[in-house]
Amino acid sequence: MKIFISGMPGVGKTTLCKKIYENLKNKIKIVGFLTLEKREKNKRIGFEIFLLHNEKHFTFASKEKIGDKIYAGYYLNLEVLENSINEIEKEMKNANLLIIDEIGKMEMESNKFKEFVEKILKSEIPLIATLHRAFISKFKNFEILWLTRENFNETYEKIIEKLWAGSLVAKRPADNREIGSSNLPRPMGP
């Protein structure tokens, strides 16, 4: 199962991945990362990578010089991204789900990230990834959900249903509890 979430800026792609992670993190092993905005006085000053397996934060992009590569007015620390990928690859062996937020223009500045994406597309691990709209055509052979503010809850429910139907759990009993190692309760509400 590979699901990509795309949409316009600000519709909640990262929020959706964070909600999935928060609801499932104590039930199954999730690896990957979220890209979180860093703000100061209501102004975006950069982005952090938040690793899901250990909940550590690392500055990936900043208005201040943290690396030599510049994209869209941000200095990129590609070493942080690539070290994060190394950690994720080590943790993937025993993971039930991989979340990548995002497959975006800044991340694609790293050759290692591009290779990582190619590798996981060929792997068996279930994947939920946000996808910059500029890359939709490159991923057209996979399921892409277009997120809007209006369909946020519906999209969340659709993804949860696919996780229930997929390899994470064997079946979904009437009482919303799974018999087996995952013991995955059904997340409720927004």
Side-chain angles (χ1 to χ4, degrees):
M1 180 194 76
K2 309 273 189 259
I3 299 174
F4 296 89
I5 303 158
S6 196
M8 298 304 290
V11 297
K13 297 179 296 291
T14 296
T15 302
L16 181 61
C17 287
K18 187 175 181 184
K19 181 176 179 177
I20 292 166
Y21 167 71
E22 289 295 332
N23 281 310
L24 300 179
K25 69 180 181 179
N26 294 322
K27 311 301 178 212
I28 61 173
K29 182 170 181 182
I30 302 173
V31 297
F33 68 91
L34 301 176
T35 304
L36 306 175
E37 288 186 350
K38 288 180 73 171
R39 292 192 163 268
E40 190 174 276
K41 297 179 184 175
N42 290 329
K43 189 174 181 182
R44 186 169 62 198
I45 60 168
F47 294 92
E48 289 183 326
I49 288 178
F50 176 75
L51 291 175
L52 301 178
H53 68 277
N54 61 14
E55 298 192 344
K56 290 184 180 177
H57 294 252
F58 302 96
T59 300
F60 167 54
S62 178
K63 293 289 186 181
E64 296 178 14
K65 186 166 177 145
I66 60 170
D68 293 326
K69 191 92 161 164
I70 300 176
Y71 182 84
Y74 294 98
Y75 289 95
L76 304 181
N77 187 340
L78 295 180
E79 186 177 341
V80 161
L81 176 61
E82 292 168 359
N83 288 340
S84 297
I85 291 167
N86 289 338
E87 281 196 48
I88 291 165
E89 286 181 320
K90 289 176 192 169
E91 295 293 324
M92 276 177 53
K93 294 174 187 145
N94 300 315
N96 302 99
L97 178 64
L98 175 62
I99 296 176
I100 298 177
D101 172 46
E102 99 176 311
I103 299 172
K105 291 182 175 182
M106 284 194 290
E107 292 83 1
M108 290 298 227
E109 291 290 320
S110 164
N111 287 329
K112 182 165 183 68
F113 182 78
K114 290 178 193 176
E115 292 167 8
F116 175 67
V117 170
E118 288 298 319
K119 179 179 173 182
I120 60 173
L121 290 177
K122 296 173 186 170
S123 76
E124 295 295 318
I125 189 167
L127 169 69
I128 297 171
T130 59
L131 180 65
H132 189 283
R133 61 198 177 283
F135 298 115
I136 288 176
S137 64
K138 293 180 181 177
F139 292 82
K140 64 185 177 192
N141 293 330
F142 297 93
E143 182 173 11
I144 300 172
L145 303 176
W146 185 258
L147 186 67
T148 65
R149 288 184 178 144
E150 294 76 23
N151 74 359
F152 182 93
N153 289 332
E154 176 187 329
T155 303
Y156 170 78
E157 289 296 326
K158 185 180 222 177
I159 291 169
I160 294 300
E161 289 297 325
K162 288 183 178 292
L163 292 174
W164 279 109
S167 61
L168 293 183
V169 292
K171 63 179 182 172
R172 182 176 160 192
D175 72 353
N176 292 329
R177 295 223 169 257
E178 178 55 34
I179 300 166
S181 60
S182 68
N183 210 15
L184 183 66
R186 179 159 165 64
M188 299 302 288

